[in-house]
Amino acid sequence: MPMSIPRAAHLLVLLSVLAISLSSCGAAAALPVYDTDGHELSADADYYVLPAPPRGSGGGGGGLTMAPKGLHPCPLFVAQETDPLRKGFPVRFAPLQQDQGGSDRAVRVSSDVGVHFAAATTCVQTTEWHVSGDGAAPRSGRRLVLTGPVLSSSPNGREKVFRVEKHSRGYKLVWCGGSSASTSCQDLGVFRDDGDRRAWLGTTETDRAHAVVFQKDTTMHA
């Protein structure tokens, strides 16, 4: 017996509701990033980026900080503290993909974020992170993460797009500006270049990603 029109219409409505529900579940699948206290990372708080235990390829250094590289005092590059007891400067993450209401302030795994240090510098410029152009790369061929304005934008305009991804020892930071494809990202690691005393944050191979954890800055800012 052929299906009646009302029954067929009812079935179409149920299928549409099911499709919307599945789509919503997929959109909400991105897990939050957690700090060392087990709380979700918030876009309204600052966090120290510390090496995940046990100490990895950073040579036992501390948290991430800013430092000049070479003879020029500015811009400041993202580096690792040489003293493992020093936390460096806290950072703040800014989600670049907000929900329509803008109410979700959680930092989520595999989601685009902007990153900046919650600190002032003598360079009197933004502390927002971006990845250097080919001309600023060290001799090793890696591309460094630095602060300050982007002096030469690429066609895709994604120099300042980063993500937090899961790592076997915690999390890792990746840069997603090397290609026009939003799914193309490069791991970030810490390394020394040309005998530098400091270790710098820059693009690296997957097996050398810098494993990190996030510790909330509880300092009361004026």
Side-chain angles (χ1 to χ4, degrees):
M1 178 182 297
M3 185 180 296
S4 65
I5 293 178
R7 186 179 176 188
H10 181 65
L11 180 59
L12 285 174
V13 170
L14 289 177
L15 289 174
S16 298
V17 171
L18 178 61
I20 292 173
S21 299
L22 291 175
S23 176
S24 299
C25 290
L31 298 174
V33 179
Y34 293 95
D35 65 17
T36 52
D37 292 323
H39 301 139
E40 295 182 4
L41 256 65
S42 169
D44 300 314
D46 303 326
Y47 300 88
Y48 294 101
V49 184
L50 306 176
R55 301 303 191 194
S57 61
L64 296 184
T65 185
M66 293 176 280
K69 183 172 173 59
L71 301 177
H72 303 288
C74 300
L76 297 174
F77 289 75
V78 180
Q80 184 181 29
E81 292 279 8
T82 56
D83 184 347
L85 298 180
R86 294 183 65 87
K87 296 180 180 180
F89 291 114
V91 304
R92 181 167 293 201
F93 296 95
L96 301 179
Q97 298 169 328
Q98 293 283 357
D99 62 312
Q100 291 184 351
S103 58
D104 184 7
R105 302 293 290 163
V107 178
R108 299 189 176 276
V109 174
S110 302
S111 297
D112 290 353
V113 294
V115 188
H116 72 270
F117 282 110
T121 75
T122 55
C123 290
V124 195
Q125 57 187 212
T126 177
T127 59
E128 189 173 15
W129 292 16
H130 68 277
V131 169
S132 64
D134 292 335
R139 293 180 183 177
S140 63
R142 295 183 176 92
R143 301 180 68 181
L144 297 177
V145 183
L146 68 158
T147 65
V150 177
L151 300 180
S152 180
S153 298
S154 65
N156 63 34
R158 292 176 61 85
E159 292 86 358
K160 299 186 288 185
V161 180
F162 299 86
R163 290 180 185 174
V164 179
E165 300 285 3
K166 287 290 293 180
H167 187 279
S168 60
R169 302 207 320 271
Y171 296 97
K172 63 181 180 180
L173 298 170
V174 303
W175 172 62
C176 301
S179 169
S180 58
S182 60
T183 56
S184 177
C185 301
Q186 292 177 270
D187 286 352
L188 297 178
V190 289
F191 57 91
R192 289 174 175 80
D193 186 62
D194 293 337
D196 284 343
R197 182 175 61 89
R198 285 188 179 276
W200 308 96
L201 187 69
T203 57
T204 189
E205 300 80 11
T206 300
D207 61 348
R208 299 195 63 186
H210 183 45
V212 299
V213 293
F214 307 102
Q215 184 182 91
K216 188 175 182 179
D217 177 19
T218 56
T219 305
M220 297 299 292
H221 300 282

Short mmCIF file of all heavy atoms in Angstrom, two decimals, residues 27-88:
data_model
loop_
_atom_site.label_atom_id
_atom_site.label_comp_id
_atom_site.label_asym_id
_atom_site.label_seq_id
_atom_site.Cartn_x
_atom_site.Cartn_y
_atom_site.Cartn_z
N ALA A 27 28.85 19.79 15.83
CA ALA A 27 29.40 21.13 16.03
C ALA A 27 29.89 21.32 17.46
O ALA A 27 30.76 22.12 17.72
CB ALA A 27 28.32 22.17 15.69
N ALA A 28 29.25 20.56 18.40
CA ALA A 28 29.62 20.73 19.81
C ALA A 28 30.66 19.71 20.26
O ALA A 28 30.91 19.55 21.43
CB ALA A 28 28.37 20.62 20.68
N ALA A 29 31.26 18.99 19.29
CA ALA A 29 32.15 17.90 19.63
C ALA A 29 33.52 18.36 20.11
O ALA A 29 34.25 17.57 20.71
CB ALA A 29 32.31 16.96 18.43
N ALA A 30 33.90 19.60 19.82
CA ALA A 30 35.22 20.09 20.22
C ALA A 30 35.33 20.14 21.74
O ALA A 30 34.55 20.82 22.41
CB ALA A 30 35.48 21.46 19.62
N LEU A 31 36.28 19.43 22.29
CA LEU A 31 36.44 19.35 23.74
C LEU A 31 37.14 20.59 24.27
O LEU A 31 38.00 21.17 23.60
CB LEU A 31 37.26 18.11 24.11
CG LEU A 31 36.64 16.76 23.74
CD1 LEU A 31 37.63 15.64 24.04
CD2 LEU A 31 35.34 16.54 24.50
N PRO A 32 36.82 21.02 25.48
CA PRO A 32 37.53 22.16 26.08
C PRO A 32 38.96 21.78 26.46
O PRO A 32 39.26 20.61 26.70
CB PRO A 32 36.69 22.50 27.32
CG PRO A 32 35.98 21.23 27.65
CD PRO A 32 35.73 20.52 26.36
N VAL A 33 39.83 22.76 26.52
CA VAL A 33 41.19 22.59 27.02
C VAL A 33 41.14 22.82 28.53
O VAL A 33 40.44 23.72 29.01
CB VAL A 33 42.15 23.61 26.35
CG1 VAL A 33 43.57 23.44 26.89
CG2 VAL A 33 42.13 23.43 24.84
N TYR A 34 41.89 22.02 29.29
CA TYR A 34 41.86 22.12 30.75
C TYR A 34 43.20 22.62 31.29
O TYR A 34 44.26 22.30 30.74
CB TYR A 34 41.53 20.77 31.37
CG TYR A 34 40.11 20.32 31.08
CD1 TYR A 34 39.84 19.48 30.00
CD2 TYR A 34 39.05 20.75 31.86
CE1 TYR A 34 38.54 19.06 29.72
CE2 TYR A 34 37.75 20.35 31.59
CZ TYR A 34 37.50 19.50 30.51
OH TYR A 34 36.21 19.10 30.24
N ASP A 35 43.15 23.40 32.38
CA ASP A 35 44.38 23.86 33.02
C ASP A 35 44.86 22.82 34.04
O ASP A 35 44.27 21.74 34.19
CB ASP A 35 44.18 25.25 33.64
CG ASP A 35 43.18 25.27 34.80
OD1 ASP A 35 42.86 24.19 35.35
OD2 ASP A 35 42.71 26.36 35.17
N THR A 36 45.92 23.16 34.74
CA THR A 36 46.53 22.20 35.68
C THR A 36 45.65 21.94 36.90
O THR A 36 45.91 20.99 37.64
CB THR A 36 47.90 22.72 36.15
OG1 THR A 36 47.76 24.07 36.65
CG2 THR A 36 48.90 22.72 35.00
N ASP A 37 44.62 22.75 37.11
CA ASP A 37 43.68 22.52 38.21
C ASP A 37 42.45 21.75 37.75
O ASP A 37 41.53 21.52 38.54
CB ASP A 37 43.25 23.85 38.83
CG ASP A 37 44.39 24.54 39.57
OD1 ASP A 37 45.19 23.81 40.20
OD2 ASP A 37 44.49 25.78 39.52
N GLY A 38 42.42 21.38 36.46
CA GLY A 38 41.28 20.64 35.95
C GLY A 38 40.12 21.50 35.52
O GLY A 38 39.01 21.00 35.29
N HIS A 39 40.33 22.82 35.40
CA HIS A 39 39.28 23.73 34.97
C HIS A 39 39.43 24.07 33.49
O HIS A 39 40.54 24.10 32.96
CB HIS A 39 39.31 25.03 35.80
CG HIS A 39 39.14 24.79 37.26
ND1 HIS A 39 39.87 25.48 38.22
CD2 HIS A 39 38.35 23.93 37.95
CE1 HIS A 39 39.53 25.07 39.42
NE2 HIS A 39 38.60 24.13 39.29
N GLU A 40 38.32 24.36 32.85
CA GLU A 40 38.36 24.73 31.43
C GLU A 40 39.10 26.05 31.23
O GLU A 40 38.94 26.99 32.02
CB GLU A 40 36.93 24.87 30.88
CG GLU A 40 36.15 23.57 30.86
CD GLU A 40 34.76 23.75 30.27
OE1 GLU A 40 34.45 24.87 29.80
OE2 GLU A 40 33.99 22.77 30.26
N LEU A 41 39.91 26.11 30.18
CA LEU A 41 40.57 27.36 29.84
C LEU A 41 39.52 28.36 29.36
O LEU A 41 38.65 28.02 28.56
CB LEU A 41 41.61 27.15 28.73
CG LEU A 41 43.08 27.15 29.18
CD1 LEU A 41 43.33 25.95 30.09
CD2 LEU A 41 44.01 27.11 27.98
N SER A 42 39.62 29.58 29.85
CA SER A 42 38.67 30.63 29.50
C SER A 42 39.36 31.75 28.73
O SER A 42 40.52 32.09 29.01
CB SER A 42 38.02 31.20 30.77
OG SER A 42 37.28 32.38 30.48
N ALA A 43 38.65 32.33 27.80
CA ALA A 43 39.18 33.45 27.04
C ALA A 43 39.24 34.71 27.89
O ALA A 43 39.77 35.74 27.43
CB ALA A 43 38.31 33.71 25.80
N ASP A 44 38.73 34.65 29.11
CA ASP A 44 38.74 35.80 30.01
C ASP A 44 39.78 35.68 31.11
O ASP A 44 39.76 36.44 32.08
CB ASP A 44 37.35 35.98 30.64
CG ASP A 44 36.27 36.21 29.59
OD1 ASP A 44 36.50 37.03 28.68
OD2 ASP A 44 35.21 35.56 29.68
N ALA A 45 40.69 34.73 30.99
CA ALA A 45 41.73 34.52 32.01
C ALA A 45 43.08 34.37 31.34
O ALA A 45 43.18 34.15 30.13
CB ALA A 45 41.40 33.30 32.87
N ASP A 46 44.14 34.51 32.14
CA ASP A 46 45.52 34.40 31.64
C ASP A 46 46.15 33.11 32.17
O ASP A 46 45.86 32.68 33.29
CB ASP A 46 46.36 35.60 32.09
CG ASP A 46 45.75 36.92 31.64
OD1 ASP A 46 45.14 36.96 30.56
OD2 ASP A 46 45.86 37.92 32.39
N TYR A 47 47.07 32.54 31.37
CA TYR A 47 47.67 31.25 31.72
C TYR A 47 49.15 31.23 31.39
O TYR A 47 49.57 31.74 30.34
CB TYR A 47 46.97 30.11 30.96
CG TYR A 47 45.49 30.02 31.25
CD1 TYR A 47 44.57 30.75 30.50
CD2 TYR A 47 45.02 29.22 32.29
CE1 TYR A 47 43.22 30.68 30.78
CE2 TYR A 47 43.66 29.14 32.58
CZ TYR A 47 42.77 29.88 31.81
OH TYR A 47 41.42 29.82 32.10
N TYR A 48 49.93 30.62 32.27
CA TYR A 48 51.34 30.36 31.97
C TYR A 48 51.42 29.09 31.13
O TYR A 48 50.74 28.10 31.42
CB TYR A 48 52.13 30.17 33.26
CG TYR A 48 52.23 31.42 34.11
CD1 TYR A 48 51.42 31.59 35.23
CD2 TYR A 48 53.13 32.43 33.78
CE1 TYR A 48 51.50 32.74 36.01
CE2 TYR A 48 53.22 33.59 34.55
CZ TYR A 48 52.40 33.73 35.66
OH TYR A 48 52.47 34.86 36.42
N VAL A 49 52.25 29.14 30.09
CA VAL A 49 52.45 27.97 29.24
C VAL A 49 53.73 27.29 29.71
O VAL A 49 54.84 27.78 29.46
CB VAL A 49 52.56 28.37 27.75
CG1 VAL A 49 52.69 27.13 26.88
CG2 VAL A 49 51.35 29.21 27.33
N LEU A 50 53.58 26.17 30.41
CA LEU A 50 54.70 25.50 31.07
C LEU A 50 54.99 24.16 30.39
O LEU A 50 54.09 23.53 29.82
CB LEU A 50 54.38 25.26 32.55
CG LEU A 50 53.97 26.50 33.36
CD1 LEU A 50 53.60 26.08 34.79
CD2 LEU A 50 55.09 27.53 33.38
N PRO A 51 56.26 23.70 30.47
CA PRO A 51 56.58 22.39 29.91
C PRO A 51 55.80 21.30 30.64
O PRO A 51 55.67 21.33 31.86
CB PRO A 51 58.09 22.25 30.15
CG PRO A 51 58.58 23.63 30.45
CD PRO A 51 57.44 24.36 31.06
N ALA A 52 55.29 20.34 29.87
CA ALA A 52 54.58 19.23 30.49
C ALA A 52 55.58 18.27 31.12
O ALA A 52 56.64 18.02 30.55
CB ALA A 52 53.75 18.50 29.45
N PRO A 53 55.29 17.74 32.28
CA PRO A 53 56.20 16.76 32.88
C PRO A 53 56.07 15.41 32.15
O PRO A 53 54.97 15.07 31.71
CB PRO A 53 55.68 16.64 34.33
CG PRO A 53 54.24 17.05 34.24
CD PRO A 53 54.15 18.06 33.13
N PRO A 54 57.17 14.66 32.01
CA PRO A 54 58.53 15.07 32.35
C PRO A 54 59.07 16.06 31.35
O PRO A 54 58.52 16.22 30.25
CB PRO A 54 59.31 13.74 32.28
CG PRO A 54 58.57 12.96 31.24
CD PRO A 54 57.12 13.31 31.44
N ARG A 55 60.14 16.76 31.70
CA ARG A 55 60.69 17.78 30.82
C ARG A 55 61.03 17.17 29.47
O ARG A 55 61.60 16.09 29.38
CB ARG A 55 61.96 18.41 31.42
CG ARG A 55 61.74 19.07 32.77
CD ARG A 55 60.67 20.15 32.73
NE ARG A 55 60.66 20.93 33.94
CZ ARG A 55 59.69 21.76 34.28
NH1 ARG A 55 58.63 21.88 33.51
NH2 ARG A 55 59.76 22.47 35.40
N GLY A 56 60.67 17.94 28.40
CA GLY A 56 60.87 17.40 27.07
C GLY A 56 62.08 17.97 26.37
O GLY A 56 63.13 18.17 26.96
N SER A 57 61.93 18.25 25.07
CA SER A 57 63.05 18.66 24.24
C SER A 57 63.54 20.07 24.54
O SER A 57 64.50 20.53 23.95
CB SER A 57 62.66 18.57 22.77
OG SER A 57 61.56 19.42 22.49
N GLY A 58 62.86 20.79 25.46
CA GLY A 58 63.28 22.14 25.78
C GLY A 58 64.51 22.20 26.66
O GLY A 58 64.98 23.27 27.00
N GLY A 59 65.05 21.03 27.07
CA GLY A 59 66.28 21.01 27.85
C GLY A 59 66.08 21.41 29.29
O GLY A 59 66.99 21.90 29.94
N GLY A 60 64.87 21.20 29.82
CA GLY A 60 64.63 21.51 31.21
C GLY A 60 64.37 22.98 31.48
O GLY A 60 64.52 23.43 32.62
N GLY A 61 63.98 23.74 30.49
CA GLY A 61 63.69 25.15 30.67
C GLY A 61 62.35 25.37 31.34
O GLY A 61 61.65 24.43 31.75
N GLY A 62 61.98 26.65 31.47
CA GLY A 62 60.74 27.01 32.14
C GLY A 62 59.62 27.33 31.18
O GLY A 62 59.49 26.72 30.11
N GLY A 63 58.79 28.33 31.56
CA GLY A 63 57.65 28.71 30.74
C GLY A 63 58.04 29.58 29.57
O GLY A 63 59.21 29.93 29.37
N LEU A 64 57.03 29.97 28.78
CA LEU A 64 57.28 30.78 27.59
C LEU A 64 57.34 32.26 27.96
O LEU A 64 56.58 32.75 28.79
CB LEU A 64 56.19 30.54 26.54
CG LEU A 64 56.14 29.12 25.97
CD1 LEU A 64 55.08 29.04 24.87
CD2 LEU A 64 57.50 28.68 25.44
N THR A 65 58.25 32.97 27.31
CA THR A 65 58.48 34.37 27.59
C THR A 65 58.76 35.11 26.29
O THR A 65 58.63 34.54 25.20
CB THR A 65 59.67 34.53 28.57
OG1 THR A 65 59.81 35.90 28.93
CG2 THR A 65 60.97 34.03 27.94
N MET A 66 59.15 36.38 26.38
CA MET A 66 59.54 37.18 25.21
C MET A 66 61.00 37.57 25.34
O MET A 66 61.46 37.89 26.44
CB MET A 66 58.69 38.45 25.11
CG MET A 66 57.23 38.20 24.80
SD MET A 66 56.26 39.75 24.81
CE MET A 66 56.01 39.98 26.58
N ALA A 67 61.71 37.58 24.23
CA ALA A 67 63.12 37.96 24.26
C ALA A 67 63.56 38.44 22.89
O ALA A 67 63.04 37.98 21.87
CB ALA A 67 63.98 36.77 24.70
N PRO A 68 64.52 39.39 22.84
CA PRO A 68 65.06 39.82 21.54
C PRO A 68 65.99 38.75 20.98
O PRO A 68 66.58 37.98 21.72
CB PRO A 68 65.82 41.10 21.89
CG PRO A 68 66.22 40.90 23.32
CD PRO A 68 65.12 40.13 23.97
N LYS A 69 66.09 38.71 19.68
CA LYS A 69 66.97 37.74 19.03
C LYS A 69 67.94 38.50 18.13
O LYS A 69 67.52 39.30 17.29
CB LYS A 69 66.16 36.73 18.21
CG LYS A 69 67.00 35.63 17.56
CD LYS A 69 66.11 34.57 16.94
CE LYS A 69 66.93 33.56 16.13
NZ LYS A 69 67.94 32.86 16.95
N GLY A 70 69.21 38.27 18.31
CA GLY A 70 70.20 38.99 17.52
C GLY A 70 70.51 40.34 18.12
O GLY A 70 70.37 40.56 19.33
N LEU A 71 70.89 41.28 17.28
CA LEU A 71 71.33 42.60 17.73
C LEU A 71 70.20 43.59 17.91
O LEU A 71 70.41 44.67 18.47
CB LEU A 71 72.36 43.15 16.75
CG LEU A 71 73.63 42.30 16.54
CD1 LEU A 71 74.53 42.93 15.48
CD2 LEU A 71 74.38 42.13 17.86
N HIS A 72 69.01 43.26 17.42
CA HIS A 72 67.91 44.23 17.47
C HIS A 72 67.05 44.01 18.70
O HIS A 72 66.66 42.87 19.00
CB HIS A 72 67.06 44.11 16.21
CG HIS A 72 67.84 44.30 14.94
ND1 HIS A 72 68.32 45.54 14.55
CD2 HIS A 72 68.24 43.42 13.99
CE1 HIS A 72 68.97 45.40 13.40
NE2 HIS A 72 68.94 44.13 13.04
N PRO A 73 66.72 45.07 19.45
CA PRO A 73 65.91 44.91 20.66
C PRO A 73 64.45 44.58 20.37
O PRO A 73 63.74 44.07 21.23
CB PRO A 73 66.04 46.27 21.34
CG PRO A 73 66.32 47.23 20.22
CD PRO A 73 67.16 46.47 19.24
N CYS A 74 63.98 44.91 19.17
CA CYS A 74 62.60 44.64 18.78
C CYS A 74 62.59 44.12 17.33
O CYS A 74 63.49 44.48 16.55
CB CYS A 74 61.75 45.91 18.86
SG CYS A 74 61.67 46.64 20.53
N PRO A 75 61.63 43.26 16.98
CA PRO A 75 60.55 42.75 17.81
C PRO A 75 61.04 41.68 18.78
O PRO A 75 62.17 41.22 18.70
CB PRO A 75 59.60 42.15 16.77
CG PRO A 75 60.51 41.67 15.69
CD PRO A 75 61.60 42.71 15.61
N LEU A 76 60.14 41.29 19.68
CA LEU A 76 60.46 40.25 20.65
C LEU A 76 59.91 38.91 20.17
O LEU A 76 58.78 38.81 19.71
CB LEU A 76 59.85 40.60 22.01
CG LEU A 76 60.39 41.89 22.64
CD1 LEU A 76 59.61 42.22 23.91
CD2 LEU A 76 61.87 41.78 22.94
N PHE A 77 60.75 37.89 20.29
CA PHE A 77 60.37 36.55 19.86
C PHE A 77 59.87 35.74 21.06
O PHE A 77 60.19 36.03 22.21
CB PHE A 77 61.56 35.84 19.21
CG PHE A 77 61.93 36.40 17.86
CD1 PHE A 77 62.60 37.62 17.75
CD2 PHE A 77 61.60 35.73 16.71
CE1 PHE A 77 62.94 38.14 16.51
CE2 PHE A 77 61.93 36.24 15.46
CZ PHE A 77 62.60 37.45 15.36
N VAL A 78 59.09 34.71 20.77
CA VAL A 78 58.61 33.83 21.83
C VAL A 78 59.71 32.82 22.14
O VAL A 78 60.19 32.12 21.24
CB VAL A 78 57.32 33.11 21.41
CG1 VAL A 78 56.84 32.19 22.55
CG2 VAL A 78 56.23 34.13 21.07
N ALA A 79 60.13 32.78 23.39
CA ALA A 79 61.25 31.94 23.80
C ALA A 79 60.87 31.18 25.07
O ALA A 79 59.84 31.44 25.70
CB ALA A 79 62.49 32.79 24.06
N GLN A 80 61.72 30.24 25.44
CA GLN A 80 61.53 29.50 26.68
C GLN A 80 62.51 30.01 27.73
O GLN A 80 63.67 30.28 27.44
CB GLN A 80 61.77 27.99 26.46
CG GLN A 80 61.48 27.15 27.70
CD GLN A 80 61.74 25.68 27.46
OE1 GLN A 80 62.59 25.31 26.66
NE2 GLN A 80 61.01 24.82 28.16
N GLU A 81 62.01 30.19 28.95
CA GLU A 81 62.88 30.60 30.05
C GLU A 81 63.99 29.57 30.24
O GLU A 81 63.75 28.37 30.18
CB GLU A 81 62.08 30.73 31.34
CG GLU A 81 61.08 31.88 31.37
CD GLU A 81 61.73 33.21 31.69
OE1 GLU A 81 62.98 33.27 31.75
OE2 GLU A 81 60.99 34.19 31.88
N THR A 82 65.21 30.05 30.45
CA THR A 82 66.32 29.12 30.67
C THR A 82 66.26 28.47 32.05
O THR A 82 66.71 27.35 32.23
CB THR A 82 67.67 29.86 30.51
OG1 THR A 82 67.69 30.98 31.40
CG2 THR A 82 67.83 30.36 29.07
N ASP A 83 65.70 29.19 33.02
CA ASP A 83 65.56 28.67 34.38
C ASP A 83 64.24 27.89 34.48
O ASP A 83 63.17 28.45 34.27
CB ASP A 83 65.55 29.84 35.37
CG ASP A 83 65.50 29.38 36.83
OD1 ASP A 83 65.23 28.18 37.08
OD2 ASP A 83 65.72 30.22 37.72
N PRO A 84 64.29 26.59 34.80
CA PRO A 84 63.05 25.81 34.87
C PRO A 84 62.09 26.27 35.95
O PRO A 84 60.92 25.88 35.93
CB PRO A 84 63.55 24.38 35.14
CG PRO A 84 64.93 24.54 35.68
CD PRO A 84 65.49 25.78 35.06
N LEU A 85 62.55 27.11 36.88
CA LEU A 85 61.67 27.61 37.94
C LEU A 85 60.92 28.87 37.53
O LEU A 85 59.99 29.29 38.23
CB LEU A 85 62.48 27.88 39.21
CG LEU A 85 63.18 26.66 39.84
CD1 LEU A 85 63.95 27.08 41.08
CD2 LEU A 85 62.16 25.57 40.17
N ARG A 86 61.30 29.45 36.42
CA ARG A 86 60.64 30.68 35.97
C ARG A 86 59.48 30.34 35.04
O ARG A 86 59.63 29.55 34.09
CB ARG A 86 61.63 31.61 35.26
CG ARG A 86 62.71 32.15 36.19
CD ARG A 86 63.61 33.13 35.45
NE ARG A 86 62.90 34.33 35.04
CZ ARG A 86 62.75 35.41 35.80
NH1 ARG A 86 63.27 35.44 37.02
NH2 ARG A 86 62.12 36.46 35.36
N LYS A 87 58.32 30.97 35.30
CA LYS A 87 57.12 30.66 34.54
C LYS A 87 57.00 31.46 33.24
O LYS A 87 56.18 31.13 32.39
CB LYS A 87 55.87 30.94 35.39
CG LYS A 87 55.75 30.06 36.63
CD LYS A 87 54.49 30.43 37.39
CE LYS A 87 54.33 29.58 38.64
NZ LYS A 87 53.09 29.95 39.39
N GLY A 88 57.80 32.53 33.11
CA GLY A 88 57.66 33.38 31.94
C GLY A 88 56.51 34.36 32.10
O GLY A 88 56.15 34.74 33.22
#
